[in-house]
Amino acid sequence: MTSEQTYRRTTVSIPSGNSFCAAWLYLPEGVSSPPVVVLGHGMGATREMRLDAFAERFASRGIACIAFTYRNFGDSGGDHRQELHPRQQLQDWEAVLAHVRTRTDLDSERMAVWGTSFGGGHVITIASRHPELAAAVAQCPFTDGLATALRQGPRESLRLQSLLVRDLLATVTRRAPVTLPFAAKPGGVAIMTAEDALPGYEALMPAGETFINHTRARVIPRLASYRPGRRARKVAPPILFCVSSTDSVAPADVTLKYAHQAPRGVVKTYDAGHFAFYLGEPFEQLVADQLAFFEEHLGLAGTADER
């Protein structure tokens, strides 16, 4: 498949828990029951932050896509705004997969999952639970919160623990939540303080929009205990790991250790940094490699014949 396919994008609301996930459905025109890729973003990010760029490329090659935003973020529902909870986000993934299976305009037997950063870790977990998936892509995935936490300096760790205690006390005393930035400049207090973290997030925002850069500090132990890479050995579907060799957020050595444990894993490394994956030449290389992987595993030759 080399010719570009036209597609249309619609907004859909997908029930999840007691609320909903807002999503974009990319549906190739003139293609009967196309394969589908579900796309989820990273920590604190919404689908507007370049998920559309990947979905557009996939849809232009005859692959339907659902790019969704987690509950509590963006225009999705949720009563606890900006609160990050891995378990709830995994429930959102399950809800979107269930939604795909109800649709008669998509081929749920040719369904793949695609996640980046924190969402890349979720993809490992989801793929380990769903051997029926046709394929998975984990892009610069978060694989081990404990390993990441242990690389923090003692001063940074103490500052984070102080915020955590204050937030927990705020809950008990019914005071306003204590928040923590997702990203800050080096020397600041945040989940990520690498040089490329804050400008990296900001570069993903569409013109005229602002990244909402905070979550509740209670997320700290949740992140440290979330280790999705440990499930890589249980991933039955073919899975492509796209790893940044210079990753400042998800250490490459830890990611590669887990990636090589996946029974049908394919590992590709890139010199670009964690936040550079979404733009320019790194984006072009990544999306080309991912399209080749999807074409191999989603049966796109049959889809092309139906045009």
Side-chain angles (χ1 to χ4, degrees):
M1 282 176 67
T2 56
S3 61
E4 289 200 355
Q5 172 71 47
T6 58
Y7 58 87
R8 55 188 173 87
R9 189 183 88 177
T10 57
T11 301
V12 295
S13 178
I14 301 173
S16 182
N18 61 357
S19 190
F20 69 93
C21 293
W24 287 324
L25 168 65
Y26 294 78
L27 197 61
E29 296 182 329
V31 179
S32 175
S33 194
V36 57
V37 174
V38 175
L39 297 93
H41 218 317
M43 195 178 296
T46 62
R47 67 190 186 282
E48 292 85 359
M49 298 168 71
R50 296 288 291 176
L51 280 197
D52 51 348
F54 287 90
E56 288 166 3
R57 290 298 186 89
F58 300 157
S60 71
R61 300 292 283 271
I63 305 171
C65 295
I66 295 183
F68 73 97
T69 297
Y70 301 108
R71 282 176 293 167
N72 300 327
F73 294 91
D75 58 348
S76 290
D79 296 330
H80 303 285
R81 304 309 300 174
Q82 293 298 121
E83 184 166 344
L84 176 64
H85 200 306
R87 179 176 54 80
Q88 289 185 358
Q89 293 194 346
L90 289 169
Q91 291 172 354
D92 293 341
W93 276 95
E94 295 286 1
V96 179
L97 266 59
H99 173 78
V100 169
R101 296 188 190 98
T102 69
R103 300 189 66 102
T104 59
D105 53 353
L106 303 175
D107 185 353
S108 62
E109 293 187 1
R110 292 189 292 161
M111 178 164 52
V113 289
W114 180 104
T116 186
S117 194
F118 205 59
H122 291 333
V123 155
I124 298 171
T125 301
I126 291 296
S128 73
R129 296 175 178 176
H130 291 276
E132 76 279 5
L133 289 170
V137 170
Q139 177 174 287
C140 53
F142 173 100
T143 56
D144 196 315
L146 180 59
T148 300
L150 290 174
R151 298 191 181 200
Q152 295 173 341
R155 183 167 178 265
E156 184 178 9
S157 297
L158 285 173
R159 294 163 79 183
L160 291 173
Q161 291 303 316
S162 175
L163 287 176
L164 168 63
V165 171
R166 287 171 52 198
D167 189 34
L168 295 176
L169 286 174
T171 301
V172 174
T173 57
R174 299 180 181 272
R175 295 181 181 178
V178 176
T179 61
L180 170 70
F182 286 109
K185 295 179 180 179
V189 181
I191 296 173
M192 290 167 273
T193 57
E195 288 187 3
D196 59 341
L198 182 57
Y201 268 110
E202 293 172 341
L204 302 183
M205 292 301 300
E209 297 190 26
T210 302
F211 172 56
I212 302 178
N213 186 21
H214 67 83
T215 187
R216 292 199 66 166
R218 65 176 54 192
V219 75
I220 294 168
R222 296 172 186 167
L223 296 181
S225 62
Y226 188 43
R227 307 176 71 187
R230 299 175 71 184
R231 300 188 65 90
R233 66 183 64 195
K234 299 181 180 180
V235 174
I239 180 170
L240 171 64
F241 292 90
C242 298
V243 181
S244 164
S245 60
T246 59
D247 202 313
S248 62
V249 174
D253 58 338
V254 178
T255 300
L256 291 170
K257 179 191 73 172
Y258 289 125
H260 288 299
Q261 295 174 3
R264 302 176 67 188
V266 176
V267 180
K268 289 185 176 291
T269 58
Y270 305 82
D271 291 333
H274 185 91
F275 291 95
F277 273 20
Y278 307 90
L279 301 163
E281 183 55 36
F283 165 77
E284 296 294 339
Q285 183 60 60
L286 282 154
V287 80
D289 290 344
Q290 292 166 10
L291 272 168
F293 185 76
F294 284 143
E295 288 181 355
E296 177 182 358
H297 296 290
L298 294 183
L300 290 177
T303 302
D305 292 341
E306 294 175 3
R307 294 184 189 172

